[in-house]
Each structure stands twice: as C-alpha cells, then as structure tokens.
Amino acid sequence: SLPAKLINGGIAGLIGVTCVFPIDLAKTRLQNQQNGQRMYTSLSDCLIKTIRSEGYFGMYRGAAVNLTLVTPEKAIKLAANDFFRHHLSKDGKKLTLLREMLAGCGAGTCQVIVTTPMEMLKIQLQDAGRIEAQRKLMAAQAQISSSSSSPEPAAERRPTATQITRELLRSKGIAGLYKGLGATLLRDVPFSIVYFPLFANLNKLGQKDPNVKAPFYVSFLSGCVAGSTAAVAVNPCDVIKTRLQSLQRGVNEDTYSGILDCTKKIWQREGPTAFFKGAYCRALVIAPLFGIAQVVYFVGIAEFLLDMLPKRRA
C-alpha cells in the first residue's frame, strides 16, 4: 500500500542518514575546497580536524535538516519508482531495461521537489566549519606576518537552518531555496536511471523464486553495489551542484553563474580530476544508505507496524 511504502522509505532514510552523515559532511567540504585553499587532504584528515575544532557533534552539522526532510525525500523516490515501474509494465510482464531506466528517471525527477531545498540548507551548515577554519587560519597567518598587534578575531559565526531559510525567503523568495535545481536534476535523474535498474537486476540474482522476496542480505548488498556504482558515475554532477549551492566562499575561491560556467572554471583551474573530488566519500555514503534503505523497504517494516494497529470492528 502507498502508506506502507511512504513509511518504509522514511524509516530507511532516517536510519541511513544517521549512520553515514559524518562522511557526507567530509564529502561536502572536500568538494568545496579549491586549489590553493586546501584545508583537508583526505576523508580521515577532514573528520579529525572537524572533531578537534568543532567537537564530536561538529560532524553532524546540518544533520537536523537531513533527518527532517530525508523521510519525504526517500519516500517519494522509492514510491515513485514503484509507481512508474507498475504503470510501465505490460500485464505484469518483466520490464525491459529501457522501461526500468524510464521508471528511475521519473523517480529522480519527482524527488528533487524535496532534495533541492534539503541539499541547499545542508550544504551551508556543513561547509560553515570549513569557511570558519579557513578564516581563522588566514587571521593567524596575518597576525604572525604583521609586526603590529592585530585586532581580536571576530566571533565564530554558526548559522542555523532557520536563519538561512528566512534570509533566502526574504531576499530571493522560494526560488532561493531552489538554487541549483538544474544541477540537482542533472545529478539525481542519471543516478536513478543507473541505480534502480542495476539494483533490481542484482536483487533478482538472489531470488530462488520470482514470487518470493530475496533474502535481506541480498537486498542489502544489491543496494550497496548499485548505490556506490551510481554515486561514482554521477559524482562530477554532484561536485557542480555542491559548488553552485554554496552561498559562502573561502578567500580567493571562485564564484559561478551557472552549470556551464562552473564546469568551465573547474576544468580550466583545477583540472578534470577535480570532478571526482569526494567520489570515494560519496560511494561510502550512498552504499550503506541505499543498502539499508532497500532492506527496510523490501523487508516491509511498515507492514508490520500497520498490522500492529488495532483493527476496526466490523
């Protein structure tokens, strides 16, 4: 049923995000740093420096936004894919690969309604620590190089999701929350086109009978493999999306006017390898996230919860 699908998708998203959010934070910071302003050298270096400067909970900056919006996002994505697969199938026959890809395309298109503002807010909160650390480093270097006494550094700025939302709505209206919508579509539609058919076909390999669900570990491994493959494949689009949605820039960092301008500047100033910044972090995030999502979704926790509700007497 649709309520069960929505509940399953929501539970899957909550569990997955809680497990992998620190890696996602590192991915955002690694993707946003540009040549000459590198604060972090690797995933582990980013997490260690984040804990030292911002504490353990610094790794979860922006998690509240994700936890709030990931339920509708994952619910829409998984339910939409099922919806399109159902309507693209002919008399219950096996879907062709093209129709599976079309179903994934539809799911990816539907989810951006929630994904774009969620990512927009999350990126600001995740990257705020990097910008602040860079500002402090520049201030310390200026103080050392200057013979005269330097003024006290400004107090650390920690924006909240509510403050960012109010400012965006006040200055740009609802369109402010949907900055980077085109880049989000450019990432999520190809991701879903790759992910859903790949997962469906890998999951079928573990089914002894077409009418019986695959074991949970098969769904988990299929979700991990399909998720990490799709994540790496669309990572260049994710780098572009992250750069476009970042409102604050570090010292001497480029600004971008759109997808083409961003692509051109990254290629010319940082080289083609820059499009794969944070790719392994993204694979580490997406693999367990979608593995957990598919296990919860296919095991059907929601059906169990709904069955526990008291039945109406006839």
Side-chain angles (χ1 to χ4, degrees):
S1 65
L2 181 60
K5 290 177 182 178
L6 296 178
I7 293 171
N8 278 333
I11 294 172
L14 289 172
I15 295 171
V17 167
T18 303
C19 294
V20 301
F21 193 84
I23 304 174
D24 186 61
L25 178 137
K27 186 248 348 166
T28 297
R29 294 188 177 186
L30 288 170
Q31 286 183 341
N32 260 337
Q33 64 179 6
Q34 300 178 21
N35 289 346
Q37 301 294 336
R38 294 171 62 86
M39 294 292 301
Y40 316 107
T41 58
S42 64
L43 167 64
S44 57
D45 181 56
C46 180
L47 293 178
I48 290 169
K49 287 179 178 177
T50 299
I51 293 173
R52 285 177 179 172
S53 61
E54 303 170 55
Y56 174 79
F57 290 105
M59 295 190 298
Y60 282 89
R61 292 187 70 173
V65 173
N66 242 33
L67 291 172
T68 301
L69 296 179
V70 75
T71 298
E73 186 222 20
K74 286 290 176 287
I76 289 171
K77 188 185 189 95
L78 296 173
N81 180 66
D82 272 5
F83 173 83
F84 287 115
R85 287 178 71 90
H86 173 73
H87 286 277
L88 287 169
S89 62
K90 292 182 177 179
D91 302 322
K93 292 181 180 178
K94 182 181 177 181
L95 282 172
T96 63
L97 179 60
L98 178 60
R99 288 177 181 268
E100 286 183 330
M101 293 171 71
L102 286 173
C105 177
T109 304
C110 290
Q111 79 170 84
V112 298
I113 298 168
V114 177
T115 303
T116 305
M118 179 183 75
E119 293 272 313
M120 179 72 181
L121 295 172
K122 183 194 72 172
I123 286 171
Q124 313 318 315
L125 297 170
Q126 286 182 330
D127 205 38
R130 182 187 71 90
I131 299 296
E132 185 63 27
Q134 188 187 90
R135 186 185 67 81
K136 286 181 177 179
L137 180 63
M138 297 293 288
Q141 290 174 347
Q143 189 172 10
I144 291 171
S145 61
S146 175
S147 56
S148 59
S149 60
S150 300
E152 289 294 321
E156 185 174 351
R157 298 176 291 275
R158 289 181 178 269
T160 66
T162 304
Q163 290 171 343
I164 295 170
T165 302
R166 285 176 178 171
E167 178 58 29
L168 285 171
L169 290 174
R170 184 189 64 79
S171 59
K172 299 181 180 179
I174 193 69
L177 291 173
Y178 280 86
K179 183 181 180 182
L181 175 62
T184 305
L185 280 167
L186 196 62
R187 181 197 67 173
D188 288 348
V189 171
F191 177 92
S192 295
I193 289 173
V194 173
Y195 172 78
F196 283 110
L198 182 57
F199 169 78
N201 286 283
L202 289 174
N203 198 53
K204 283 177 187 175
L205 296 176
Q207 290 179 277
K208 296 179 179 178
D209 187 317
N211 298 317
V212 178
K213 288 180 180 179
F216 79 93
Y217 63 87
V218 173
S219 293
F220 176 76
L221 291 174
S222 299
C224 288
V225 173
S228 57
T229 302
V232 174
V234 302
N235 196 76
C237 301
D238 189 56
V239 172
I240 293 168
K241 182 200 71 67
T242 301
R243 295 278 182 96
L244 289 175
Q245 288 188 319
S246 298
L247 299 176
Q248 300 294 323
R249 303 286 177 190
V251 180
N252 298 325
E253 289 185 344
D254 290 327
T255 57
Y256 312 103
S257 60
I259 294 173
L260 292 178
D261 180 56
C262 182
T263 304
K264 181 180 177 182
K265 286 180 178 177
I266 292 174
W267 182 276
Q268 291 178 341
R269 300 176 187 181
E270 301 175 59
T273 56
F275 289 105
F276 287 92
K277 283 184 176 181
Y280 66 97
C281 294
R282 183 163 163 74
L284 288 174
V285 169
I286 296 297
L289 181 62
F290 277 82
I292 293 168
Q294 292 296 0
V295 168
V296 172
Y297 196 66
F298 276 83
V299 167
I301 289 178
E303 285 84 347
F304 173 76
L305 295 175
L306 290 173
D307 286 342
M308 294 292 289
L309 294 174
K311 303 288 186 183
R312 272 190 182 179
R313 294 184 178 179

